[in-house]
Amino acid sequence: MKTQLPFGIFIFLINFLRYLLVAGIAFFVFYYVFKNSKSFQKIQNRFPKSSDYLREIGSSFMSCIIFGVVGYIAYKTPFYQFSLAYNNINEYPIWYFWLSILLMILLHDTYFYWTHRLVHHKSLFKNFHALHHKSHNPSPWAAFSFDPMEAVINGCFQFVMMLLIPAHFNAVAIFYLISMVVNVYGHLGYEIYPKWFREHWFGQWINTSTAHNYHHHYGKGNYGFYFTFWDKLMGTEQSK
């Protein structure tokens, strides 16, 4: 007899396995294969300690548990009936399927910028964001290394998204994979974009691993996720 995996555990496993896969590949490539290569240079010369990696992985595991709870509430409770999520792939044109992913990215960038700035407020930082900033020199494993309350805030984007953007579950899955890749890149500790791209007018609107590394090192500025336009608009962009 087949037993169906509880949906909350399914979402937890999807999040944690995606985290292990993307962060693990990045860690292996840049912290082993190219560790002493001149092709890629570490943004900060030193490397984190083994205890830092263990802390980042452990807290990321807890974050994925919280994301599993959020996923269960979003899709398996009456909340789903009030959302704009849809099951039938033919309910919207196929071009909208791909457009919805772009809309989720733009909404997430806005949500992340403002919630990220919020948890940097001195009254919230200690209980909401201090754990993430223990990674002064982040590694790919820091991608989901959140205090529980920050994981709740990040997870609640799911509710905001489902209330504002009609989206098929598969589009949501693709969006979260893109988000994971961008998140791991931001915490990579290496810059993979060439200098010419970062100096190009288009590249200056794309967030970089260098920018987010500065955020971890100095503890302020560069609050964006995918793009830099909120930081530019609000005067919070910094290069050193």
Side-chain angles (χ1 to χ4, degrees):
M1 178 181 293
K2 293 183 178 180
T3 58
Q4 187 175 16
L5 194 66
F7 189 77
I9 296 178
F10 171 75
I11 295 297
F12 157 73
L13 288 174
I14 289 296
N15 276 292
F16 192 59
L17 292 176
R18 181 178 58 210
Y19 161 78
L20 288 178
L21 179 65
V22 178
I25 290 175
F27 186 79
F28 175 74
V29 170
F30 288 93
Y31 286 69
Y32 283 94
V33 177
F34 289 120
K35 182 175 182 179
N36 299 314
S37 172
K38 295 187 181 299
S39 300
F40 299 97
Q41 289 191 334
K42 196 147 186 326
I43 298 169
Q44 298 183 45
N45 290 328
R46 61 189 177 87
F47 283 83
K49 300 177 182 178
S50 296
S51 58
D52 293 319
Y53 301 143
L54 291 175
R55 183 192 67 253
E56 292 169 349
I57 294 172
S59 54
S60 293
F61 179 86
M62 294 303 299
S63 294
C64 288
I65 291 177
I66 292 171
F67 297 156
V69 173
V70 169
Y72 177 84
I73 296 172
Y75 285 96
K76 294 299 181 179
T77 71
F79 172 83
Y80 184 81
Q81 305 303 320
F82 295 98
S83 76
L84 299 177
Y86 63 95
N87 292 321
N88 184 355
I89 193 68
N90 297 316
E91 190 170 335
Y92 287 83
I94 192 62
W95 59 262
Y96 176 77
F97 178 92
W98 300 107
L99 176 62
S100 69
I101 298 172
L102 176 59
L103 294 176
M104 285 184 270
I105 289 172
L106 293 173
L107 181 63
H108 188 216
D109 194 64
T110 299
Y111 181 90
F112 182 86
Y113 176 86
W114 288 105
T115 56
H116 192 188
R117 281 197 69 177
L118 178 65
V119 296
H120 267 269
H121 191 277
K122 61 182 180 181
S123 65
L124 298 177
F125 184 84
K126 181 178 179 180
N127 294 318
F128 283 74
H129 198 46
L131 178 60
H132 190 66
H133 272 275
K134 284 186 177 181
S135 300
H136 297 290
N137 183 17
S139 80
W141 300 118
F144 278 170
S145 181
F146 304 133
D147 286 277
M149 289 306 299
E150 183 176 13
V152 170
I153 291 174
N154 286 325
C156 282
F157 173 72
Q158 178 76 46
F159 303 130
V160 175
M161 176 180 69
M162 291 174 69
L163 290 173
L164 296 179
I165 300 174
H168 190 272
F169 184 83
N170 290 343
V172 174
I174 294 172
F175 156 72
Y176 276 122
L177 178 60
I178 294 171
S179 175
M180 186 77 257
V181 171
V182 173
N183 195 353
V184 167
Y185 162 66
H187 296 91
L188 187 60
Y190 287 81
E191 185 54 74
I192 60 176
Y193 287 150
K195 185 177 180 181
W196 67 262
F197 177 80
R198 284 176 279 150
E199 292 178 348
H200 191 272
W201 68 266
F202 179 77
Q204 291 180 12
W205 293 96
I206 305 298
N207 204 9
T208 64
S209 186
T210 301
H212 196 67
N213 198 280
Y214 285 160
H215 173 80
H216 273 262
H217 185 66
Y218 296 105
K220 62 179 181 179
N222 297 346
Y223 298 107
F225 192 96
Y226 308 88
F227 310 110
T228 62
F229 53 77
W230 279 114
D231 278 304
K232 291 181 186 298
L233 181 63
M234 302 308 298
T236 54
E237 187 177 32
Q238 68 170 39
S239 58
K240 62 179 180 177

